[in-house]
Amino acid sequence: QAHTPWEWHKPIFERCNELGLLCFSSPFDETAVDFLEDLEVPAYKIASFENTDIPLLRKVATTGKPIIISTGMATSGELDETVRSLKSWGCKNIILLKCTSTYPATPENTNILTIPHMRNLFDVQVGISDHTLGIGVAIASVALGATFIEKHFTLDKSDTTIRDHALSATPEEFNQMVKMGRLMARNLDIGV
């Protein structure tokens, strides 16, 4: 997995603050949590590969900040242990992201029908980490109760320097996804 160099974080966070954007990052070890705390992150994203890393989860939970967790590499039993542990450490704001860890994922393999089941099973908010082409799966997930959408972003899908460009949303697609998602949420009275 690619990690953003630590020296890039401060300028990125400063630019996001200038633009009024919330900026956060995924720590891959406990030292990264300390680093991100110095940058005053408002939340933490735990990647699929780290969603069972108990020492890392404990460290993040002690910050008292919301935790967003990709579920792509975890079983239901592992997620149960993760959620129970986070709650026992005082974490009150947990969002699980339904995630299929293939790039790109097909709509058929994404299985967003598990979103309401995950919400009921773990009693937390559930969203989607969408690796499909287009924005249809992200919008459909809102209809199933997703309250958070993670979608890769690109300025140019023809760029071949990064493997995720094909499944990433352009600014136009991202704007459309946000508009349609909010409309869907309002119609279904879901807080997104």
PDB file of all heavy atoms in Angstrom, residues 125-137:
ATOM      1  N   GLN A 125     -22.890   3.571  12.738  1.00  0.00           N
ATOM      2  CA  GLN A 125     -23.155   4.061  11.389  1.00  0.00           C
ATOM      3  C   GLN A 125     -22.376   3.200  10.388  1.00  0.00           C
ATOM      4  O   GLN A 125     -21.288   2.721  10.686  1.00  0.00           O
ATOM      5  CB  GLN A 125     -22.718   5.512  11.235  1.00  0.00           C
ATOM      6  CG  GLN A 125     -23.587   6.496  11.970  1.00  0.00           C
ATOM      7  CD  GLN A 125     -23.226   7.909  11.568  1.00  0.00           C
ATOM      8  OE1 GLN A 125     -23.288   8.259  10.401  1.00  0.00           O
ATOM      9  NE2 GLN A 125     -22.849   8.708  12.559  1.00  0.00           N
ATOM     10  N   VAL A 126     -22.950   3.048   9.208  1.00  0.00           N
ATOM     11  CA  VAL A 126     -22.288   2.280   8.153  1.00  0.00           C
ATOM     12  C   VAL A 126     -22.303   3.102   6.880  1.00  0.00           C
ATOM     13  O   VAL A 126     -23.300   3.752   6.543  1.00  0.00           O
ATOM     14  CB  VAL A 126     -22.977   0.918   7.925  1.00  0.00           C
ATOM     15  CG1 VAL A 126     -22.319   0.148   6.786  1.00  0.00           C
ATOM     16  CG2 VAL A 126     -22.949   0.078   9.207  1.00  0.00           C
ATOM     17  N   GLY A 127     -21.178   3.094   6.195  1.00  0.00           N
ATOM     18  CA  GLY A 127     -21.062   3.755   4.906  1.00  0.00           C
ATOM     19  C   GLY A 127     -20.459   2.802   3.903  1.00  0.00           C
ATOM     20  O   GLY A 127     -20.500   1.579   4.090  1.00  0.00           O
ATOM     21  N   ILE A 128     -19.888   3.353   2.845  1.00  0.00           N
ATOM     22  CA  ILE A 128     -19.274   2.531   1.815  1.00  0.00           C
ATOM     23  C   ILE A 128     -17.938   3.124   1.400  1.00  0.00           C
ATOM     24  O   ILE A 128     -17.786   4.345   1.319  1.00  0.00           O
ATOM     25  CB  ILE A 128     -20.190   2.365   0.590  1.00  0.00           C
ATOM     26  CG1 ILE A 128     -19.586   1.348  -0.398  1.00  0.00           C
ATOM     27  CG2 ILE A 128     -20.480   3.698  -0.074  1.00  0.00           C
ATOM     28  CD1 ILE A 128     -20.537   0.878  -1.461  1.00  0.00           C
ATOM     29  N   SER A 129     -16.988   2.234   1.177  1.00  0.00           N
ATOM     30  CA  SER A 129     -15.741   2.594   0.528  1.00  0.00           C
ATOM     31  C   SER A 129     -15.886   2.023  -0.872  1.00  0.00           C
ATOM     32  O   SER A 129     -15.764   0.820  -1.081  1.00  0.00           O
ATOM     33  CB  SER A 129     -14.555   1.963   1.266  1.00  0.00           C
ATOM     34  OG  SER A 129     -13.357   2.262   0.588  1.00  0.00           O
ATOM     35  N   ASP A 130     -16.208   2.875  -1.816  1.00  0.00           N
ATOM     36  CA  ASP A 130     -16.626   2.446  -3.148  1.00  0.00           C
ATOM     37  C   ASP A 130     -15.457   2.387  -4.124  1.00  0.00           C
ATOM     38  O   ASP A 130     -14.872   3.409  -4.453  1.00  0.00           O
ATOM     39  CB  ASP A 130     -17.706   3.400  -3.664  1.00  0.00           C
ATOM     40  CG  ASP A 130     -18.242   3.016  -5.020  1.00  0.00           C
ATOM     41  OD1 ASP A 130     -18.060   1.861  -5.438  1.00  0.00           O
ATOM     42  OD2 ASP A 130     -18.858   3.878  -5.670  1.00  0.00           O
ATOM     43  N   HIS A 131     -15.169   1.174  -4.594  1.00  0.00           N
ATOM     44  CA  HIS A 131     -14.096   0.970  -5.568  1.00  0.00           C
ATOM     45  C   HIS A 131     -14.638   0.594  -6.939  1.00  0.00           C
ATOM     46  O   HIS A 131     -13.913   0.037  -7.761  1.00  0.00           O
ATOM     47  CB  HIS A 131     -13.138  -0.124  -5.090  1.00  0.00           C
ATOM     48  CG  HIS A 131     -12.506   0.156  -3.769  1.00  0.00           C
ATOM     49  ND1 HIS A 131     -12.125  -0.833  -2.906  1.00  0.00           N
ATOM     50  CD2 HIS A 131     -12.190   1.326  -3.168  1.00  0.00           C
ATOM     51  CE1 HIS A 131     -11.598  -0.297  -1.826  1.00  0.00           C
ATOM     52  NE2 HIS A 131     -11.634   1.016  -1.959  1.00  0.00           N
ATOM     53  N   THR A 132     -15.909   0.868  -7.186  1.00  0.00           N
ATOM     54  CA  THR A 132     -16.497   0.537  -8.489  1.00  0.00           C
ATOM     55  C   THR A 132     -16.295   1.687  -9.459  1.00  0.00           C
ATOM     56  O   THR A 132     -15.991   2.819  -9.067  1.00  0.00           O
ATOM     57  CB  THR A 132     -18.005   0.250  -8.371  1.00  0.00           C
ATOM     58  OG1 THR A 132     -18.679   1.432  -7.908  1.00  0.00           O
ATOM     59  CG2 THR A 132     -18.283  -0.909  -7.428  1.00  0.00           C
ATOM     60  N   LEU A 133     -16.521   1.396 -10.734  1.00  0.00           N
ATOM     61  CA  LEU A 133     -16.495   2.438 -11.758  1.00  0.00           C
ATOM     62  C   LEU A 133     -17.800   3.216 -11.675  1.00  0.00           C
ATOM     63  O   LEU A 133     -18.860   2.639 -11.456  1.00  0.00           O
ATOM     64  CB  LEU A 133     -16.335   1.816 -13.148  1.00  0.00           C
ATOM     65  CG  LEU A 133     -15.087   0.943 -13.343  1.00  0.00           C
ATOM     66  CD1 LEU A 133     -15.119   0.304 -14.727  1.00  0.00           C
ATOM     67  CD2 LEU A 133     -13.819   1.751 -13.161  1.00  0.00           C
ATOM     68  N   GLY A 134     -17.740   4.527 -11.830  1.00  0.00           N
ATOM     69  CA  GLY A 134     -18.950   5.347 -11.783  1.00  0.00           C
ATOM     70  C   GLY A 134     -19.404   5.632 -10.365  1.00  0.00           C
ATOM     71  O   GLY A 134     -18.699   5.346  -9.388  1.00  0.00           O
ATOM     72  N   ILE A 135     -20.626   6.195 -10.269  1.00  0.00           N
ATOM     73  CA  ILE A 135     -21.142   6.606  -8.954  1.00  0.00           C
ATOM     74  C   ILE A 135     -22.423   5.870  -8.563  1.00  0.00           C
ATOM     75  O   ILE A 135     -22.973   6.106  -7.505  1.00  0.00           O
ATOM     76  CB  ILE A 135     -21.379   8.135  -8.909  1.00  0.00           C
ATOM     77  CG1 ILE A 135     -22.408   8.565  -9.955  1.00  0.00           C
ATOM     78  CG2 ILE A 135     -20.054   8.880  -9.074  1.00  0.00           C
ATOM     79  CD1 ILE A 135     -22.840  10.021  -9.842  1.00  0.00           C
ATOM     80  N   GLY A 136     -22.892   4.960  -9.401  1.00  0.00           N
ATOM     81  CA  GLY A 136     -24.157   4.271  -9.143  1.00  0.00           C
ATOM     82  C   GLY A 136     -24.192   3.497  -7.845  1.00  0.00           C
ATOM     83  O   GLY A 136     -25.182   3.556  -7.103  1.00  0.00           O
ATOM     84  N   VAL A 137     -23.138   2.757  -7.539  1.00  0.00           N
ATOM     85  CA  VAL A 137     -23.108   1.961  -6.313  1.00  0.00           C
ATOM     86  C   VAL A 137     -23.118   2.873  -5.086  1.00  0.00           C
ATOM     87  O   VAL A 137     -23.802   2.592  -4.100  1.00  0.00           O
ATOM     88  CB  VAL A 137     -21.886   1.007  -6.306  1.00  0.00           C
ATOM     89  CG1 VAL A 137     -21.678   0.388  -4.930  1.00  0.00           C
ATOM     90  CG2 VAL A 137     -22.068  -0.080  -7.361  1.00  0.00           C
TER      91      VAL A 137
END
